[in-house]
Amino acid sequence: MALTAAELRRRSLAPFTDKAGTFAPLKAAVFVLVVAPGVWIAWRYFTGNLGGFPLKVLLNETGLWGLRFIIVTLAITPLRRVLQWPKLITVRRMIGIAAFTYSAVHLWVYVPYMAYDWGRIGSEVVLRFYLLVGTIAVLAMLPLAVTSTDAMVKRLGGARWRRLHQFVYAVGVLAMLHFYLLLIKTYDPEGHVLAGSLVLLLLYRVLYAWRGTMPTPWLIGLSIFAAAATMIGHAAFFAINSNGRLSAWAFLSSNFTLDGWMNPGWIVLALGLGVTLAGWIRQRVSPKERRRGRLDAGAAAG
Ligand code: HEM
């Protein structure tokens, strides 16, 4: 029996069940994970536990979770392929909607943060580049969120829907740029880890589109490249912030000292190689993929 558009919409947005209506543990777990930070932030806000300037903390926390979920959304397709875990696709929409919700709340918090001074809000958004790119990112996420239901996929047709949803990569770049420009003011090592992860995911996307496959050695190479790019970006960031007093080279070499083992570049490398290793192990225990002799199954598009 053909489902109505309303039923398709309801089923595709149901947080605990799959399309057949049965309980889906992965979806339920991810739902709890995406909602928990919001509940925690809201609870701290409404109980007066967000410090002396709660709106500022609210702004930063919602922005950070928005960006984290954008990166996780971009990671779903590569993870699904490398780990040969098709079910991951069932949570991509939920994480994408979470990314949009946190980012939209972040934008909305900016209004009371600016004391509802609409004239100033308008001029700041237009004149400050980091706000302009952030606003474009939120606006670009809106059509993606609206068309995220199965009914909309059906209405637009698979190919058009996929073309539209490729904008999520542009959203990732714009949102990252917004944060990167802010990092100049407030150093946060996580920003560099997120930027390095974005480099890794974008390169994965480009290479996969080019070759239609991603053998294990390529994944290792990609991880090393993204880690090196993170280290260079991180060193350049410090050199620029020291107004030329310290050389980027000194910062770059600090990665190879005992104190530098937790630097963002190493974290990006650990993430990339960790996923590669997990995929390699998965390939060993999956005879079908082992026969193919490659890590990446190149399953359905997405
Ligand atoms: C997808 C869109 C966006 C994402 C992912 C995002 C993300 C972030 C992140 C990660 C931070 C830094 C948080 C921290 O320092 O811990 C931040 C700060 C901030 N964002 Fe956004 N943002 C977005 C859009 C916007 C928009 C549209 C506006 C306003 C028009 C905005 C205004 C701000 C402001 C004012 C800050 C704090 C600046 C400061 O610390 O002085 N953001 N954002």
Side-chain angles (χ1 to χ4, degrees):
M1 188 185 65
L3 296 171
T4 63
E7 181 58 15
L8 264 176
R9 194 177 320 112
R10 194 191 66 74
R11 288 195 179 187
S12 56
L13 295 177
F16 297 118
T17 51
D18 59 21
K19 283 179 190 170
T22 38
F23 179 68
L26 178 65
K27 273 183 92 175
V30 171
F31 180 71
V32 171
L33 287 176
V34 297
V35 168
V39 172
W40 173 235
I41 299 165
W43 185 81
R44 279 160 65 211
Y45 179 75
F46 289 111
T47 55
N49 279 302
L50 277 189
F53 195 177
L55 278 178
K56 168 98 178 126
V57 181
L58 197 59
L59 188 67
N60 286 349
E61 291 280 317
T62 48
L64 214 45
W65 281 104
L67 185 59
R68 284 171 183 153
F69 286 132
I70 289 173
I71 303 288
V72 177
T73 308
L74 289 173
I76 294 293
T77 294
L79 284 176
R80 178 172 62 89
R81 289 185 186 138
V82 174
L83 303 177
Q84 293 168 38
W85 191 3
K87 270 205 168 156
L88 265 187
I89 200 69
T90 59
V91 295
R92 188 175 61 176
R93 171 173 20 221
M94 195 190 289
I95 302 172
I97 290 175
F100 171 68
T101 309
Y102 283 97
S103 305
V105 171
H106 176 68
L107 168 61
W108 178 64
V109 171
Y110 183 65
V111 177
Y113 179 74
M114 295 294 281
Y116 299 93
D117 185 340
W118 293 99
R120 209 171 133 228
I121 291 171
S123 65
E124 289 280 303
V125 166
V126 175
L127 296 175
R128 289 191 195 271
F129 187 61
Y130 83 94
L131 291 179
L132 187 63
V133 289
T135 306
I136 296 171
V138 178
L139 293 180
M141 286 168 98
L142 189 62
L144 305 186
V146 171
T147 57
S148 65
T149 61
D150 284 354
M152 283 310 275
V153 179
K154 224 173 141 190
R155 213 161 128 183
L156 287 175
R160 265 171 75 199
W161 186 89
R162 268 196 296 277
R163 257 201 317 277
L164 174 69
H165 279 252
Q166 285 190 346
F167 269 108
V168 68
Y169 289 92
V171 168
V173 172
L174 290 172
M176 196 64 241
L177 184 60
H178 169 77
F179 189 24
Y180 222 75
L181 292 169
L182 275 167
L183 281 178
I184 308 290
K185 279 201 293 183
T186 52
Y187 173 70
D188 178 353
E190 187 186 346
H192 294 272
V193 174
L194 291 173
S197 307
L198 183 64
V199 168
L200 182 59
L201 294 169
L202 290 177
L203 286 175
Y204 175 94
R205 174 85 202 179
V206 171
L207 273 181
Y208 193 87
W210 179 44
R211 299 304 298 238
T213 183
M214 187 61 68
T216 313
W218 287 25
L219 275 178
I220 296 173
L222 266 186
S223 306
I224 295 172
F225 183 89
T230 312
M231 286 178 186
I232 292 169
H234 191 229
F237 168 87
F238 275 117
I240 292 167
N241 263 12
S242 76
N243 287 325
R245 276 182 292 111
L246 298 162
S247 79
W249 182 248
F251 287 112
L252 199 56
S253 41
S254 74
N255 284 298
F256 302 93
T257 63
L258 275 182
D259 287 341
W261 72 277
M262 274 291 278
N263 277 5
W266 294 120
I267 297 176
V268 170
L269 186 66
L271 287 172
L273 293 184
V275 171
T276 306
L277 179 65
W280 184 81
I281 293 170
R282 177 86 174 85
Q283 186 190 316
R284 300 292 108 183
V285 293
S286 159
K288 194 171 146 221
E289 287 315 314
R290 199 168 160 187
R291 263 202 319 274
R292 282 191 199 170
R294 59 191 166 103
L295 237 184
D296 198 322

